[in-house]
mmCIF file of all heavy atoms in Angstrom:
data_model
loop_
_atom_site.group_PDB
_atom_site.id
_atom_site.type_symbol
_atom_site.label_atom_id
_atom_site.label_comp_id
_atom_site.label_asym_id
_atom_site.label_seq_id
_atom_site.Cartn_x
_atom_site.Cartn_y
_atom_site.Cartn_z
ATOM 1 N N GLN A 79 100.908 122.205 81.597
ATOM 2 C CA GLN A 79 101.889 122.667 82.498
ATOM 3 C C GLN A 79 102.926 123.487 81.742
ATOM 4 O O GLN A 79 103.439 123.039 80.731
ATOM 5 C CB GLN A 79 102.568 121.461 83.162
ATOM 6 C CG GLN A 79 101.531 120.778 84.059
ATOM 7 C CD GLN A 79 102.139 119.413 84.613
ATOM 8 O OE1 GLN A 79 102.879 118.808 83.948
ATOM 9 N NE2 GLN A 79 101.497 118.957 85.647
ATOM 10 N N PRO A 80 103.138 124.712 82.150
ATOM 11 C CA PRO A 80 104.112 125.543 81.365
ATOM 12 C C PRO A 80 105.498 125.079 81.526
ATOM 13 O O PRO A 80 105.985 124.613 82.592
ATOM 14 C CB PRO A 80 103.866 126.926 82.093
ATOM 15 C CG PRO A 80 103.421 126.656 83.330
ATOM 16 C CD PRO A 80 102.544 125.425 83.338
ATOM 17 N N ALA A 81 106.185 125.196 80.335
ATOM 18 C CA ALA A 81 107.672 124.843 80.435
ATOM 19 C C ALA A 81 108.356 126.241 80.339
ATOM 20 O O ALA A 81 108.199 127.069 79.418
ATOM 21 C CB ALA A 81 107.952 124.123 79.122
ATOM 22 N N LEU A 82 109.214 126.467 81.418
ATOM 23 C CA LEU A 82 109.895 127.709 81.574
ATOM 24 C C LEU A 82 111.406 127.490 81.624
ATOM 25 O O LEU A 82 111.859 126.444 82.001
ATOM 26 C CB LEU A 82 109.500 128.357 82.908
ATOM 27 C CG LEU A 82 108.049 128.486 83.207
ATOM 28 C CD1 LEU A 82 107.786 128.734 84.775
ATOM 29 C CD2 LEU A 82 107.425 129.538 82.358
ATOM 30 N N SER A 83 112.200 128.532 81.075
ATOM 31 C CA SER A 83 113.554 128.534 81.326
ATOM 32 C C SER A 83 113.765 128.908 82.827
ATOM 33 O O SER A 83 112.952 129.373 83.459
ATOM 34 C CB SER A 83 114.263 129.565 80.410
ATOM 35 O OG SER A 83 113.918 130.822 80.800
ATOM 36 N N ALA A 84 115.013 128.682 83.236
ATOM 37 C CA ALA A 84 115.354 129.031 84.645
ATOM 38 C C ALA A 84 115.155 130.548 84.841
ATOM 39 O O ALA A 84 114.626 130.948 85.811
ATOM 40 C CB ALA A 84 116.802 128.616 85.026
ATOM 41 N N ASP A 85 115.568 131.316 83.859
ATOM 42 C CA ASP A 85 115.451 132.816 83.999
ATOM 43 C C ASP A 85 113.893 133.152 84.120
ATOM 44 O O ASP A 85 113.616 134.046 84.870
ATOM 45 C CB ASP A 85 116.101 133.476 82.769
ATOM 46 C CG ASP A 85 117.611 133.389 82.826
ATOM 47 O OD1 ASP A 85 118.218 133.238 83.918
ATOM 48 O OD2 ASP A 85 118.279 133.662 81.806
ATOM 49 N N GLN A 86 113.121 132.541 83.219
ATOM 50 C CA GLN A 86 111.668 132.830 83.346
ATOM 51 C C GLN A 86 111.068 132.358 84.654
ATOM 52 O O GLN A 86 110.216 133.147 85.179
ATOM 53 C CB GLN A 86 110.967 132.041 82.135
ATOM 54 C CG GLN A 86 111.214 132.631 80.800
ATOM 55 C CD GLN A 86 110.654 131.796 79.730
ATOM 56 O OE1 GLN A 86 110.685 130.490 79.802
ATOM 57 N NE2 GLN A 86 110.122 132.371 78.790
ATOM 58 N N ALA A 87 111.483 131.312 85.184
ATOM 59 C CA ALA A 87 111.052 130.789 86.560
ATOM 60 C C ALA A 87 111.386 131.772 87.615
ATOM 61 O O ALA A 87 110.613 132.118 88.483
ATOM 62 C CB ALA A 87 111.533 129.418 86.784
ATOM 63 N N ILE A 88 112.659 132.193 87.623
ATOM 64 C CA ILE A 88 113.167 133.190 88.602
ATOM 65 C C ILE A 88 112.374 134.515 88.497
ATOM 66 O O ILE A 88 111.929 135.077 89.490
ATOM 67 C CB ILE A 88 114.644 133.452 88.403
ATOM 68 C CG1 ILE A 88 115.431 132.171 88.790
ATOM 69 C CG2 ILE A 88 115.106 134.614 89.257
ATOM 70 C CD1 ILE A 88 116.848 132.167 88.486
ATOM 71 N N THR A 89 112.103 134.952 87.309
ATOM 72 C CA THR A 89 111.381 136.204 87.143
ATOM 73 C C THR A 89 109.859 136.021 87.602
ATOM 74 O O THR A 89 109.390 136.887 88.251
ATOM 75 C CB THR A 89 111.380 136.549 85.624
ATOM 76 O OG1 THR A 89 112.690 136.864 85.203
ATOM 77 C CG2 THR A 89 110.510 137.856 85.376
ATOM 78 N N ALA A 90 109.328 134.919 87.257
ATOM 79 C CA ALA A 90 107.943 134.687 87.780
ATOM 80 C C ALA A 90 107.895 134.610 89.255
ATOM 81 O O ALA A 90 106.970 135.130 89.938
ATOM 82 C CB ALA A 90 107.426 133.353 87.228
ATOM 83 N N MET A 91 108.822 133.942 89.969
ATOM 84 C CA MET A 91 108.918 133.847 91.411
ATOM 85 C C MET A 91 109.143 135.244 91.950
ATOM 86 O O MET A 91 108.608 135.460 93.141
ATOM 87 C CB MET A 91 109.902 132.843 91.811
ATOM 88 C CG MET A 91 109.683 131.422 91.363
ATOM 89 S SD MET A 91 108.018 130.834 91.883
ATOM 90 C CE MET A 91 108.279 130.722 93.706
ATOM 91 N N ALA A 92 109.909 136.068 91.428
ATOM 92 C CA ALA A 92 110.236 137.391 91.976
ATOM 93 C C ALA A 92 108.960 138.251 92.041
ATOM 94 O O ALA A 92 108.932 139.129 92.793
ATOM 95 C CB ALA A 92 111.251 138.033 91.167
#
Side-chain angles (χ1 to χ4, degrees):
Q79 295 170 333
L82 309 166
S83 70
D85 288 339
Q86 290 171 320
I88 290 167
T89 299
M91 295 303 292

